[in-house]
């Protein structure tokens, strides 16, 4: 839905699109709208008023997947972080990391683009500077712990155990258990943690982790 609206805005321009949106909200306020009513309003109040602009709304609304004219979102900030990660991977140095203005999303994208083999020798240095192992942000913790497992950063393991014993969301549990079972040592660690905390997990999470562990 968001991409469809962005596509319309890009085709008709912000001014015309804002007029359409304001009219739409005023016309349907305090009402529910079905798909056919939306299409009729779109056709009457935007498409017919701009007949030279063609919109493949049937493909957007009724077909599977994203149409070819789906807007491509480009983030300058994520591009900056990706370049930063590439430099760290090449130079294997924390000097290439500049966290000024970093949000949770910056950290997540950086950690996901660091190569475990490249940063294995500087994990402790990164941790000393940025205190990622002891982070209290669940999103950052998850991505840092995944990198720590792949880089065999043993200092993080007690924190990973504590994380698995206290976080309940499957979105965090599943990737970490999946990463742990990639090595015999990791699987042994995962089994011990799961034996302690598995009964406390939600049944959906518990079933998923059981499947990962072949438990």
């Amino acid at each position: 839905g968001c991409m469809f609206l962005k596509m319309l805005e890009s085709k008709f321009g912000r001014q015309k699109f804002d007029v359409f949106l304001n009219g739409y909200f005023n016309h349907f306020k305090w009402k529910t709208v079905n798909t056919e009513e939306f299409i009729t309003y779109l056709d009457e109040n935007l498409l017919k008023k701009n007949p030279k602009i063609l919109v493949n709304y049937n493909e957007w609304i009724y077909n599977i997947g994203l149409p070819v004219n789906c807007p491509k979102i480009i983030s300058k900030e994520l591009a900056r972080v990706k370049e930063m990660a590439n430099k760290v991977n090449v130079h294997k140095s924390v000097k290439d990391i500049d966290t000024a203005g970093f949000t949770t999303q910056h950290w997540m994208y950086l950690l996901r683009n660091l190569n475990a083999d490249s940063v294995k020798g500087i994990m402790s240095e990164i941790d000393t500077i940025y205190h990622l192992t002891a982070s209290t942000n669940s999103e950052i913790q998850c991505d840092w712990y995944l990198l720590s497992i792949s880089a065999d950063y043993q200092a993080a393991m007690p924190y990973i155990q504590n994380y698995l014993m206290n976080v309940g969301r499957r979105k965090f549990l599943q990737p970490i258990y999946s990463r742990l079972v990639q090595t015999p040592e990791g699987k042994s660690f995962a089994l011990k943690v799961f034996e302690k905390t598995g009964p406390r997990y939600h049944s959906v999470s518990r079933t998923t982790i059981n499947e990962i562990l072949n438990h």
Side-chain angles (χ1 to χ4, degrees), residues 4-203:
F4 178 64
L5 295 178
K6 285 183 177 294
M7 180 275 294
L8 291 176
E9 182 182 30
S10 68
K11 278 185 170 290
F12 294 95
R14 182 63 181 268
Q15 186 174 358
K16 290 181 179 179
F17 188 61
D18 278 355
V19 171
F20 166 76
L21 279 183
N22 286 328
Y24 176 86
F25 288 126
N26 286 328
H27 184 79
F28 290 109
K29 62 183 177 182
W30 313 119
K31 299 177 182 177
T32 56
V33 186
N34 62 35
T35 302
E36 288 69 30
E37 289 172 328
F38 169 76
I39 292 173
T40 298
Y41 189 87
L42 175 69
D43 189 48
E44 294 292 334
N45 294 277
L46 190 61
L47 305 186
K48 287 183 178 179
K49 292 181 178 181
N50 302 276
K52 293 184 179 180
I53 302 176
L54 302 178
V55 174
N56 57 331
Y57 63 82
N58 279 313
E59 184 179 357
W60 274 91
I61 295 172
Y62 296 111
N63 288 5
I64 297 173
L66 294 174
V68 294
N69 63 334
C70 180
K72 302 295 189 296
I73 306 301
I74 299 175
S75 168
K76 292 181 180 179
E77 281 299 296
L78 293 185
R80 176 174 75 90
V81 174
K82 182 65 177 294
E83 182 180 2
M84 189 187 306
N86 290 339
K87 288 181 179 179
V88 175
N89 289 332
V90 171
H91 301 145
K92 298 179 176 59
S93 171
V94 295
K95 294 180 180 179
D96 292 306
I97 301 177
D98 176 13
T99 61
F102 259 34
T103 64
T104 297
Q105 286 69 35
H106 287 85
W107 275 113
M108 292 168 64
Y109 198 65
L110 174 65
L111 294 172
R112 291 176 185 183
N113 281 280
L114 292 178
N115 183 288
D117 290 334
S118 295
V119 299
K120 189 171 185 177
I122 60 171
M123 288 290 287
S124 179
E125 188 177 2
I126 294 173
D127 201 13
T128 299
I129 297 172
Y130 300 109
H131 312 290
L132 296 173
T133 295
S135 172
T136 56
N137 183 312
S138 296
E139 298 284 357
I140 294 174
Q141 285 177 284
C142 184
D143 284 316
W144 172 251
Y145 295 155
L146 288 171
L147 183 63
S148 295
I149 294 166
S150 296
D152 194 26
Y153 181 52
Q154 290 298 309
M157 296 308 291
Y159 291 84
I160 294 173
Q161 176 174 326
N162 184 66
Y163 184 72
L164 293 175
M165 294 181 71
N166 288 282
V167 72
R169 297 182 67 185
R170 185 172 63 164
K171 65 168 286 190
F172 297 130
L173 297 172
Q174 185 174 5
I176 292 183
Y177 275 103
S178 296
R179 188 68 55 88
L180 283 168
V181 299
Q182 292 179 7
T183 65
E185 297 81 7
K187 185 170 183 178
S188 175
F189 174 88
L191 284 167
K192 290 178 182 178
V193 173
F194 187 67
E195 286 175 1
K196 293 179 181 178
T197 196
R200 301 207 306 266
Y201 289 159
H202 186 280
S203 60

